[in-house]
């Protein structure tokens, strides 16, 4: 991956990330791309939780031996605190919801002034938390499915952003 992508980290915000398997899969995408920074809010697990580390270590002998490398991961007590910090930096918060009208695929990823926000798998983003967002988007899906898990949707989002940035030579 080019140095340009490494400079422009994709900001991913997860509210109340509690499933070790999902967190491990998200870390796998972060490590594979070296293109993301994670912002974790609320009563979330930590990336160094034994169940998260155990899963990631089972996939990588190197991590099993030396542990996780240093990654840009930031923790906040609440999504509100994270949103305030992001807005103060001029970052546009783009929330995800299957009920949103606008498509994720219609976004412009050439600038790095945004963060993609994911709610809990059980309830998504509450109405109050949606109010913190600058806009809401959906990841288009067929009629047979109401939602995708965080461990499934994260690679879709990250690789689409990277693909678009490369196509646009940005």
């Amino acid at each position: 991956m080019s140095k340009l992508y490494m400079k422009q980290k994709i900001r991913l915000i997860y509210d109340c990330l509690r499933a070790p398997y999902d967190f491990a899969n998200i870390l796998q995408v972060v490590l594979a791309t070296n293109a993301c920074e994670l912002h974790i809010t609320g009563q979330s697990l930590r990336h160094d939780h034994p169940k998260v580390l155990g899963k990631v270590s089972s996939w990588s002998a190197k991590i099993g031996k030396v542990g996780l490398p240093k990654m840009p991961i930031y923790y906040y007590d609440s999504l509100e605190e994270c949103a305030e910090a992001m807005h103060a930096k001029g970052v546009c918060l783009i929330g995800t919801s299957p009920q949103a009208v606008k498509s994720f695929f219609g976004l412009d990823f050439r600038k790095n002034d945004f963060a993609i926000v994911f709610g809990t798998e059980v309830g998504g983003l509450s109405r109050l938390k949606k109010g913190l967002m600058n806009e809401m988007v959906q990841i288009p899906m067929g009629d047979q499915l109401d939602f995708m898990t965080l461990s499934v949707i994260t690679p879709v989002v990250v690789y689409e952003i990277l693909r678009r940035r490369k196509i646009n030579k940005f």
Side-chain angles (χ1 to χ4, degrees):
M1 218 162 277
S2 75
K3 290 182 182 181
L4 177 63
Y5 293 129
M6 297 197 198
K7 288 181 187 175
Q8 294 187 332
K9 296 287 188 188
I10 299 166
R11 294 179 195 94
L12 303 172
I13 301 173
Y14 295 90
D15 189 35
C16 298
L17 182 55
R18 294 187 181 134
Y21 185 79
D22 287 341
F23 207 154
N25 281 318
I26 291 165
L27 289 176
Q28 190 176 32
V29 172
V30 171
L31 292 167
T33 62
N34 193 30
C36 304
E37 65 180 44
L38 297 180
H39 299 266
I40 311 297
T41 70
Q43 300 298 313
S44 296
L45 288 177
R46 292 193 51 89
H47 66 285
D48 55 2
H49 186 280
K51 288 186 177 183
V52 175
L53 283 178
K55 185 51 81 178
V56 176
S57 295
S58 74
W59 297 328
S60 169
K62 183 177 181 181
I63 290 174
K65 287 181 185 176
V66 298
L68 287 171
K70 185 170 172 41
M71 294 177 285
I73 301 179
Y74 307 93
Y75 289 90
Y76 304 84
D77 290 334
S78 66
L79 182 59
E80 293 80 4
E81 178 187 343
C82 180
E84 185 178 317
M86 291 291 163
H87 284 141
K89 294 177 186 177
V91 175
C92 174
L93 297 182
I94 303 169
T96 57
S97 171
Q99 292 80 36
V101 175
K102 187 173 183 176
S103 171
F104 167 78
F105 296 114
L107 296 174
D108 181 359
F109 300 115
R110 290 176 291 178
K111 293 182 181 177
N112 200 38
D113 60 351
F114 66 91
I116 306 294
V117 183
F118 303 92
T120 66
E121 286 192 343
V122 174
L125 291 168
S126 68
R127 189 168 13 118
L128 177 65
K129 290 177 179 179
K130 286 178 182 175
L132 300 169
M133 303 298 116
N134 297 92
E135 66 182 304
M136 296 293 299
V137 297
Q138 63 159 301
I139 313 309
M141 297 178 272
D143 294 338
Q144 297 82 7
L145 206 57
D146 299 280
F147 73 100
M148 285 188 268
T149 63
L150 295 174
S151 61
V152 170
I153 202 62
T154 296
V156 170
V157 166
V158 169
Y159 281 98
E160 177 63 12
I161 293 170
L162 290 175
R163 184 186 74 81
R164 295 269 204 86
R165 285 180 175 174
K166 186 174 182 180
I167 287 172
N168 291 311
K169 303 279 191 253
F170 189 81

